[in-house]
Amino acid sequence: MYKIVEKRPLSRNITLMQIEAPLVAKKAQPGQFVILRATSDGERIPLTISGTDTARGTVCIIFQIVGATTRRLNTLEEGDCLADFAGPLGKPTELEGLKKVCVVGGGVGCAIAMPIAQKLHDMGCEVHSIVGFRNHEFVILEDEFRACSDKYIVMTDDGSYGEKGVVTAPLKALLEAGEQYDMVIAIGPLLMMKFVVETTRPFAVPTTVSMNPIMIDGTGMCGGCRLTVGGETKFACVDGPDFDGFKVDFDEAMKRTAMYRKFERHAYEETCNLLNKEVQ
Amino acid sequence: MPNMSLKKTGMPSQDPKVRAHNFLEVSQGYTAEMAQEEAARCLNCKHRPCVNGCPVQIQIPDFIAQVVKGDYAAAYDIISQSSNLPAVCGRVCPQENQCEKNCVRAIKGEPVGIGRLERFVADWHNAQPAAAIKKPAPNGHKVAVIGSGPSGLTCAGDLAKKGYDVTVFEALHLAGGVLVYGIPEFRLPKDIVQKEVDNLTALGVKIETNMVIGKVLSIDELMNEYGFEAVFIGSGAGLPRFMNIPGENLCGVYSANEFLTRTNLMKAYKHNALTPIMHAKKVVVVGGGNVAMDAARSALRIGAEKVYIMYRRSEEELPARREEVPHAKEEGVEFMMLTNPVEIIGNDEDFVKAVKCQKMTLGEPDAGGRRRPVAVPDSEFVLDADCVIMAIGTSPNPLIKSTTKGLETQKWGGIIVDENGKTTREGVFAGGDAVTGAATVILAMGEGKTAAKAIDEYIQKRAL
C-alpha cells in the first residue's frame, strides 16, 4: 500500500499529494509518470511525476479533478493509502547539453513543466518559463517556477492574473525578438501543444511535447496509448511520453483522447451522486 | 475392459444462446461418472505416446488409471509431480496438438479426453478441504522471478519446493499475467488462477505487484544490491502488432491485448466498472489464434450483434485451440476465412465505420510449411463495422532488454536462451513468450520448469 503523507489543494480543482513509494522516488526523473489505482476496484490512470523526495521516500503527484477516478482520488486524505502505484514509467525528458530552454506549461501540465524547469536550472541552463491558466483561481506553482526561471511569464484566458491571452503570444514575441532557444518544451492540453508547435515551426526551434494519451497497463502491453509520430505508430508508455512536436499527429491524438468522453461524463456524474449521497 | 466407444464422453456446457451473453464458464466439466467412463477409454499403452506429446511430461496413463479406480487424490498427486497448474492446463492447453494428438485411440475415432480428465482431477482436488501446504526447509538461496504468468509461476513454484527464497515481481496490480489479463473468465475462471497463486504464497513465494522491472529496479540491482543469485525473466509477450494499414488508429480499433485487458483485468463489462470499453454492435476481429477467439467471444458477451473472425488463411489453418472454434461458432461468431483487411474506414468523427477487405487464396507453402495466403485480384469489398480488434500477435517488451547489459536478443526482440533457458547473461534465465514470441500457456510452463531446474543446478554448483 502506498501512503498519502501529504495532501493540499493548489487551486480550485488541482490537488498535490506526496505518496510514500521509496523505490519509485529513488529512480524517478522529470518527464516520467506513474500508473495508479486510488482504490482496489478502481481504474488504472497515468499521472506524471512532479517531484520526488528521496530522503522521505515520497513521490509528488499533482492532479486535476476531471473525472470519476480523480474525484475519488481526491476523497482520500493524509494517512490513507492508494491501492496501487507503479513507476517510474516512460522515458525521462532528454535535457543533456541544453543551455537555453523555453518551458511552456498549460494548466495542470505545469506540474510536469515545473520539475523540468527546475532540473534545467540546476544544470546551469537559462530557463524561460511561460505558463497559462484559465483564470487567477487556477494558477499553480508560481513560487516554484519563479525560483528556477530566468524569465517567468504568466498568462490567463481572462486576464485576471498576469497577461491576458494564450501562451503562444509571448512565445512568438520572444522568438521574433531573436531569442535563440536550444529547445522549447511544451506540456499541457493537446490543443496548446499543437499551437506551440505551430509557433516554433517557422523558427525551426526543436520542440518537445509530452503526450498523455489514454493508457491501461502503461508498460508496453496494451497499445491503447498509440500515437502517430512521423507517420509511424508509437506507444507513449514505452517510446514516450516525450516526442518531437513537429512529428506528432495532434488531430488524431485529440480524437483518440475523446473516445470515451460520453462514458467518462456519465461515470463522473455517477461518482458525484454517490459521493454526495455519502456526505448526506 | 476398456470402453471402446469411438467418441469422447461429452462434456456438459452452458447453452450457447445463454452463454453468449454471460461471462460464466462455458464448459462445466465432467462428473465423476463421466470421468470414469472417459478414463476407461485409455488403453494404458506401454509406449505412452501421449506423455511424449506433453510439454511437461505428465505421466498421463498413470493418472488416468487412478481415475478409473476412483482414487482421484492419487491421480492429482501424479499430475502435480509434473504440472504446477493442472486446473489451468486442463482448460487452456491445445491438447489436440499435444498429448491427444499422439493418442492411439485417435487412429480410429476420437482420442481419450486427456485434457478433460486433467481438469476433472484438478477441480476435484480444489473442491476438497485444503490440506495444509508444508513449507519446505529453506536452503538459504534467493531467486527473483520477473513476471507472474504461466512461466514465472511455474519456475517460482518449482524453486520454492526445493527450498529457495523466491520473489516474483509483477508489473500489474494483480498476479497471473496472461491468465488474468488475457484469457477470459468464461474460459478460465479467475478464482482458479487466484487459487494457484495462493498455493504458491503458501509455499513461501513472495509476490510483489506494481514492480516494473527494468524501470523501478534493474536486473543488475536485483543481483548486486538485493542479493538475488539468479533471475528468471518471464515477462511475456509485449507490444501488440498492428497491420500498418490506413485507419488503424481510428477510435474503435483495439489491439486484442487492450480489448481483453479492459474486459478481463479491469472488468469493464460490469455495470459499475470505472474502466470504459466500447459497446460496439458490429465487430471484426482480425486473426485466427486463441486470442482472436477470446476477443470475438468477449465482444459478443459485451453486447455485439455481429462478430466476425477475419483470417487470411482457411479454417484448416486456424491456429486456435480446436475446441474453441465450434464453441465460438455455436455462440454466433461468424468465420470469414481467406479474407484480409486492407483499410479501416472512419466516419466524420473518426470512429470506425467499415472495413475494406480483400479475398485471399492459398498459394505455395512458406518456410514454415504453411501455404502462403495470396490476394485475389479485384476481390475488394466493404464490410460495415464499428469496432476492429487486431489479434495478430505481439512483439517482445523492450523494457528489460534496454536496461540489461549483456542480455542478447533475436533481431525481433526475443531473448536468446540455450536449451536450459540460460541467457547470455550469467545467472539470468528466461522462458515463455519473452523468449518464443506468442505461444501457449503450457509451453511457457514447460520453459519455466526447465529453467527452474537449470537455476537450481547453477546455484548449487556455485555454492560448492
Side-chain angles (χ1 to χ4, degrees):
Chain A
M1 295 294 260
Y2 307 85
K3 199 163 130 190
I4 302 166
V5 296
E6 187 188 339
K7 177 191 176 185
R8 61 186 159 94
L10 289 189
S11 81
R12 220 172 70 180
N13 65 347
I14 295 179
T15 301
L16 175 150
M17 280 183 182
Q18 299 281 0
I19 311 294
E20 200 170 78
L23 291 175
V24 182
K26 204 172 146 191
K27 282 290 170 71
Q29 295 288 324
Q32 289 187 296
F33 64 93
V34 293
I35 291 262
L36 66 80
R37 288 199 312 159
T39 51
S40 60
D41 60 348
E43 177 187 23
R44 293 170 66 89
I45 57 161
L47 282 180
T48 317
I49 294 166
S50 25
T52 55
D53 181 337
T54 40
R56 278 207 298 177
T58 57
V59 176
C60 178
I61 52 169
I62 294 175
F63 59 93
Q64 186 171 4
I65 300 143
V66 284
T69 297
T70 42
R71 175 84 205 257
R72 281 179 187 214
L73 180 59
N74 200 46
T75 63
L76 300 179
E77 300 297 338
E78 282 178 13
D80 290 343
C81 287
L82 304 183
D84 299 287
F85 195 81
L89 301 169
K91 294 180 178 164
T93 304
E94 280 178 36
L95 304 174
E96 220 178 282
L98 299 177
K99 298 275 178 284
K100 186 170 179 175
V101 172
C102 184
V103 177
V104 184
V108 75
C110 290
I112 317 153
M114 188 272 292
I116 290 172
Q118 252 172 6
K119 180 158 183 194
L120 286 166
H121 177 76
D122 294 346
M123 286 163 47
C125 173
E126 183 178 345
V127 180
H128 294 181
S129 297
I130 304 173
V131 292
F133 303 94
R134 207 183 308 165
N135 63 48
H136 73 284
E137 283 183 50
F138 293 89
V139 176
I140 58 169
L141 302 171
E142 179 166 6
D143 295 341
E144 289 83 350
F145 267 112
R146 283 192 188 280
C148 64
S149 307
D150 298 277
K151 198 184 281 263
Y152 174 76
I153 300 169
V154 56
M155 307 294 293
T156 50
D157 293 350
D158 63 358
S160 56
Y161 194 74
E163 285 173 56
K164 184 178 163 145
V166 289
V167 289
T168 44
L171 176 63
K172 192 170 180 213
L174 287 166
L175 290 168
E176 278 172 349
E179 291 285 4
Q180 300 283 329
Y181 297 118
D182 298 331
M183 184 171 279
V184 171
I185 300 175
I187 304 150
L190 288 167
L191 197 64
M192 181 206 93
M193 295 197 283
K194 178 182 167 171
F195 282 106
V196 166
V197 166
E198 291 319 314
T199 307
T200 56
R201 201 191 298 271
F203 298 89
V205 186
T207 304
T208 295
V209 294
S210 175
M211 302 300 285
N212 54 349
I214 292 170
M215 283 187 193
I216 314 281
D217 68 296
T219 63
M221 191 266 284
C222 83
C225 65
R226 64 192 189 275
L227 305 157
T228 302
V229 181
E232 279 178 64
T233 293
K234 294 280 181 193
F235 300 98
C237 68
V238 291
D239 298 322
D242 290 355
F243 292 99
D244 177 347
F246 295 150
K247 293 187 178 165
V248 172
D249 183 339
F250 284 102
D251 293 338
E252 180 188 276
M254 283 187 263
K255 293 266 169 61
R256 286 186 63 82
T257 298
M259 184 168 161
Y260 298 105
R261 195 146 286 167
K262 238 191 247 161
F263 176 96
E264 283 160 354
R265 191 163 304 144
H266 179 71
Y268 180 63
E269 280 160 12
E270 288 224 321
T271 300
C272 291
N273 290 340
L274 198 73
L275 294 174
N276 290 342
K277 254 184 225 157
E278 277 170 17
V279 171
Q280 285 163 13
Chain B
M1 259 300 283
N3 166 0
M4 293 312 290
S5 162
L6 295 182
K7 286 198 162 269
K8 285 182 187 176
T9 309
M11 181 155 61
S13 62
Q14 269 199 78
D15 183 299
K17 286 200 191 71
V18 175
R19 74 182 191 233
H21 304 290
N22 71 46
F23 275 84
L24 301 176
E25 193 168 17
V26 167
S27 302
Q28 291 157 330
Y30 278 160
T31 60
E33 293 73 37
M34 293 170 185
Q36 295 217 344
E37 186 187 329
E38 183 60 20
R41 292 184 66 231
C42 175
L43 301 177
N44 209 345
C45 309
K46 282 232 155 51
H47 65 305
R48 304 173 160 241
C50 48
V51 178
N52 294 332
C54 174
V56 296
Q57 316 258 292
I58 294 175
Q59 296 304 308
I60 293 162
D62 297 348
F63 98 73
I64 293 182
Q66 296 301 331
V67 176
V68 173
K69 278 200 242 164
D71 190 347
Y72 308 130
Y76 184 80
D77 285 342
I78 293 165
I79 296 175
S80 61
Q81 278 165 24
S82 316
S83 168
N84 303 34
L85 312 166
V88 174
C89 292
R91 288 173 165 80
V92 304
C93 263
Q95 288 95 0
E96 70 275 6
N97 295 328
Q98 298 173 349
C99 52
E100 293 182 17
K101 185 183 181 182
N102 296 353
C103 180
V104 169
R105 295 296 305 262
I107 298 168
K108 196 180 167 203
E110 288 182 350
V112 174
I114 300 169
R116 295 174 181 188
L117 289 171
E118 182 187 22
R119 168 181 168 162
F120 167 76
V121 171
D123 287 355
W124 177 87
H125 171 84
N126 284 344
Q128 305 308 305
I133 293 180
K134 242 179 79 189
K135 264 194 209 178
N139 70 2
H141 296 289
K142 278 175 76 176
V143 178
V145 170
I146 303 170
S148 64
S151 73
L153 292 180
T154 304
C155 184
D158 278 12
L159 289 168
K161 283 181 197 156
K162 290 196 167 104
Y164 285 91
D165 178 357
V166 183
T167 305
V168 178
F169 295 99
E170 167 57 46
L172 295 175
H173 57 265
L174 193 63
V178 72
L179 307 176
V180 298
Y181 77 73
I183 303 176
E185 181 78 19
F186 57 83
R187 207 151 73 77
L188 177 64
K190 299 310 151 214
D191 53 357
I192 290 175
V193 181
Q194 193 51 49
K195 194 144 193 170
E196 303 288 5
V197 173
D198 291 344
N199 286 342
L200 283 189
T201 47
L203 272 175
V205 172
K206 284 167 257 177
I207 297 187
E208 302 266 357
T209 51
N210 295 320
M211 292 293 283
V212 185
I213 301 301
K215 285 290 177 188
V216 70
L217 290 173
S218 65
I219 287 183
D220 290 275
E221 286 169 310
L222 289 176
M223 298 182 87
N224 301 336
E225 292 172 33
Y226 288 80
F228 290 103
E229 292 160 71
V231 175
F232 174 77
I233 306 171
S235 51
L239 298 166
R241 290 219 178 96
F242 289 90
M243 294 183 72
N244 297 319
I245 56 174
E248 256 179 329
N249 291 349
L250 288 168
C251 298
V253 183
Y254 288 101
S255 76
N257 271 3
E258 181 183 357
F259 189 79
L260 291 172
T261 300
R262 284 178 184 274
T263 325
N264 300 322
L265 181 70
M266 307 312 295
K267 308 277 178 249
Y269 63 87
K270 290 193 176 168
H271 169 69
N272 56 353
L274 281 175
T275 302
I277 194 156
M278 237 182 103
H279 292 261
K281 293 287 166 228
K282 279 184 142 189
V283 179
V284 173
V285 179
V286 182
N290 288 319
V291 175
M293 302 298 144
D294 286 346
R297 296 170 71 194
S298 297
L300 212 56
R301 281 160 173 77
I302 292 171
E305 285 155 12
K306 268 231 177 291
V307 179
Y308 301 95
I309 292 266
M310 189 175 284
Y311 181 56
R312 60 198 182 130
R313 291 187 162 93
S314 70
E315 193 165 325
E316 213 171 293
E317 286 85 17
L318 280 174
R321 184 172 182 262
R322 204 36 81 212
E323 198 171 278
E324 307 309 331
V325 176
H327 273 162
K329 282 188 177 170
E330 287 160 19
E331 289 166 13
V333 173
E334 287 183 39
F335 282 63
M336 200 176 261
M337 299 294 99
L338 290 165
T339 309
N340 214 23
V342 290
E343 184 186 344
I344 303 167
I345 303 162
N347 65 15
D348 297 344
E349 287 165 334
D350 280 357
F351 275 77
V352 174
K353 188 174 83 174
V355 183
K356 190 193 269 183
C357 320
Q358 65 183 1
K359 291 278 182 201
M360 310 295 281
T361 179
L362 291 180
E364 293 300 306
D366 60 16
R370 289 199 303 176
R371 293 175 66 192
R372 193 192 303 269
V374 185
V376 176
D378 304 320
S379 65
E380 288 188 357
F381 66 100
V382 172
L383 181 69
D384 279 353
D386 54 0
C387 177
V388 177
I389 302 171
M390 290 292 176
I392 53 169
T394 56
S395 52
N397 192 302
L399 289 187
I400 289 178
K401 185 206 161 186
S402 64
T403 53
T404 311
K405 274 201 189 110
L407 185 73
E408 280 173 34
T409 60
Q410 313 273 2
K411 221 194 265 162
W412 52 268
I415 298 170
I416 296 174
V417 297
D418 70 5
E419 67 281 6
N420 298 315
K422 213 165 147 271
T423 69
T424 51
R425 259 294 291 271
E426 160 116 23
V428 180
F429 300 76
D433 285 3
V435 168
T436 54
T440 60
V441 168
I442 188 72
L443 284 175
M445 281 180 54
E447 287 166 21
K449 253 191 139 42
T450 306
K453 195 161 160 267
I455 289 171
D456 178 42
E457 282 163 12
Y458 166 78
I459 291 180
Q460 296 308 328
K461 208 162 144 193
R462 239 173 123 230
L464 286 179

